[in-house]
Amino acid sequence: MARVYNFSAGPAVLPEPVLAQVRDELLDWHGSGMSVMEMSHRGKEFIDIQHQAETDLRALLGVPSNYKVLFLQGGASLQFSMVPLNLLPVGGHADYVLTGSWAKKAAAEAKRYGTVNVAASSADTNFNRIPTQAELRLDPAAAYVHITGNNTIFGTEYHYTPDTGAVPLVNDASSNILSRPLDVSRFGLIYAGAQKNVGPAGLTLVIVRDDLIGRCREGAPTLLDYAIHAENDSAYNTPPTFAIYVAGLVFKHLLKLGGLPAVEKANIDKAELLYGLLDRSAFYNCPTEPASRSRMNVPFTLTNAELDATFLAEAKKAGLVQLKGHRSVGGMRASIYNAMPLAGVQALVDFMTDFERRYG
């Protein structure tokens, strides 16, 4: 078996020890004689799996007791609708900070249910930076403030938590959740698609403060009401059982590594290694403002764009895959989520150094 270094933005690389445990337990989970994929979501075996996953996630993030943890489906994109349906009253308004494609999509969806105020935007510089606290034009009467914590396409990330006063702060944390410690108490609601740092595609995490539950507007579909899921322990309908199981293994893996402080240190080391090369080189360019750079997604271009296809082809031969950048930015993008080992980033840096030597 020959595994590659997978720099995909998502679905993304998973920890090898987790994949190995999934393989070993696939046919018979803990002597039950069946796979987790075959279990009833209402049976004791799976209820225990889900309970342990929630317990470990709460431990990792220090989730306060007055927050519910929900295991849902539909990805972050469904949360673009669920958030305003649950938090935005009829005739109300919300503040959105636009820092990339997914932030724009979230705001566009919210406009279907109420008024959206653009509290700040970095569109004028092609989303290459995160607006500062001083730039935020926040309305103290807003129902909530929405941010996208990490911008996968443009490679930017919040390195501060906006102060929104008494207005609940909502965070789409899909692409940097569990990559660093996070003060959950600073947020009213956090949501994240699983397919980057948590587990397989199909699971969505929602962490929501108790006082924000039970506000869903009348006439909304039952499955889009946070209260329904909270009252039924995320099992009003069949949850994504296998994805929850794998996520639980990832949570345990991160705890064994030393929790999120240790994970953050590893992510800083990887990011500094790759950004260090980009900053030293005249052959490569990084379009993001240094103060806003993401530790998870690193976009870069070649000075000579005619070499892009050659770079990608040779990288693939070297076992470095999924490096093509998004069309909005062009060039390349290396996604270096939690499960990407330092050795993978070092292999990429070595390849890039050699490629520059040969073509620069």
Side-chain angles (χ1 to χ4, degrees):
M1 181 182 67
R3 282 182 60 80
V4 297
Y5 289 119
N6 175 16
F7 294 93
S8 172
V13 60
L14 285 165
E16 286 197 18
V18 169
L19 292 174
Q21 185 171 350
V22 170
R23 175 199 62 203
D24 294 343
E25 296 178 346
L26 188 61
L27 296 181
D28 181 3
W29 183 82
H30 294 202
S32 66
M34 57 183 164
S35 171
V36 173
M37 287 187 284
E38 302 170 299
M39 289 178 180
S40 167
H41 62 293
R42 303 197 188 281
K44 182 181 183 306
E45 293 92 344
F46 181 74
I47 289 174
D48 288 346
I49 288 172
Q50 180 170 307
H51 174 74
Q52 189 61 54
E54 178 178 338
T55 298
D56 290 340
L57 178 60
R58 286 182 176 274
L60 278 168
L61 283 172
V63 179
S65 60
N66 63 322
Y67 284 72
K68 293 290 190 297
V69 173
L70 307 178
F71 296 100
L72 307 182
Q73 302 177 66
S77 294
L78 185 58
Q79 293 306 308
F80 297 167
S81 298
M82 287 186 75
V83 167
L85 279 172
N86 284 266
L87 304 188
L88 184 58
V90 175
H93 59 278
D95 288 342
Y96 277 69
V97 183
L98 305 187
T99 51
S101 298
W102 297 109
K104 287 172 60 180
K105 289 181 179 181
E109 190 65 19
K111 287 180 181 178
R112 296 165 59 89
Y113 307 105
T115 301
V116 168
N117 299 324
V118 177
S121 174
S122 54
D124 60 332
T125 56
N126 198 32
F127 299 118
N128 76 333
R129 55 184 289 274
I130 296 294
T132 64
Q133 177 73 43
E135 294 176 86
L136 303 181
R137 301 179 299 277
L138 301 176
D139 183 348
Y144 60 88
V145 179
H146 182 284
I147 65 170
T148 305
N150 183 82
N151 298 280
T152 314
I153 292 173
F154 294 94
T156 61
E157 183 175 11
Y158 281 82
H159 295 293
Y160 75 99
T161 299
D163 182 357
T164 59
V167 178
L169 179 59
V170 175
N171 180 18
D172 177 357
S174 294
S175 53
N176 68 345
I177 194 168
L178 302 182
S179 68
R180 56 168 66 189
L182 189 67
D183 185 355
V184 173
S185 68
R186 297 283 302 277
F187 301 86
L189 188 150
I190 299 168
Y191 65 89
Q195 65 273 15
K196 303 175 190 287
N197 269 337
V198 175
L203 167 66
T204 309
L205 300 179
V206 173
I207 302 171
V208 55
R209 204 170 64 211
D210 288 346
D211 64 297
L212 299 178
I213 298 173
R215 301 184 179 190
C216 192
R217 64 175 59 187
E218 187 177 352
T222 300
L223 279 174
L224 300 189
D225 185 346
Y226 291 132
I228 294 295
H229 297 288
E231 292 165 4
N232 290 276
D233 295 325
S234 302
Y236 178 80
N237 65 328
T238 305
T241 54
F242 194 74
I244 293 170
Y245 154 69
V246 178
L249 298 183
V250 171
F251 301 156
K252 282 203 174 299
H253 173 73
L254 297 181
L255 287 169
K256 288 178 182 177
L257 292 179
L260 298 191
V263 171
E264 180 181 36
K265 182 182 183 305
N267 285 330
I268 290 173
D269 290 345
K270 290 184 294 183
E272 288 183 346
L273 178 61
L274 183 50
Y275 283 120
L277 169 65
L278 295 174
D279 288 342
R280 291 191 303 270
S281 173
F283 185 78
Y284 302 103
N285 298 297
C286 180
T288 53
E289 175 191 82
S292 300
R293 286 175 173 174
S294 169
R295 297 173 186 168
M296 300 286 97
N297 311 100
V298 183
F300 60 94
T301 59
L302 278 62
T303 303
N304 181 4
E306 293 181 357
L307 289 171
D308 284 6
T310 303
F311 180 95
L312 291 169
E314 292 194 11
K316 185 176 182 180
K317 287 182 180 178
L320 311 168
V321 303
Q322 299 294 323
L323 283 165
K324 186 175 182 180
H326 192 275
R327 61 184 179 276
S328 302
V329 179
M332 318 301 162
R333 174 178 53 180
S335 294
I336 51 176
Y337 299 120
N338 287 350
M340 173 58 65
L342 181 63
V345 179
Q346 185 64 62
L348 175 60
V349 166
D350 290 345
F351 169 80
M352 292 171 64
T353 301
D354 181 63
F355 191 86
E356 178 178 1
R357 179 186 59 79
R358 290 185 288 113
Y359 292 98

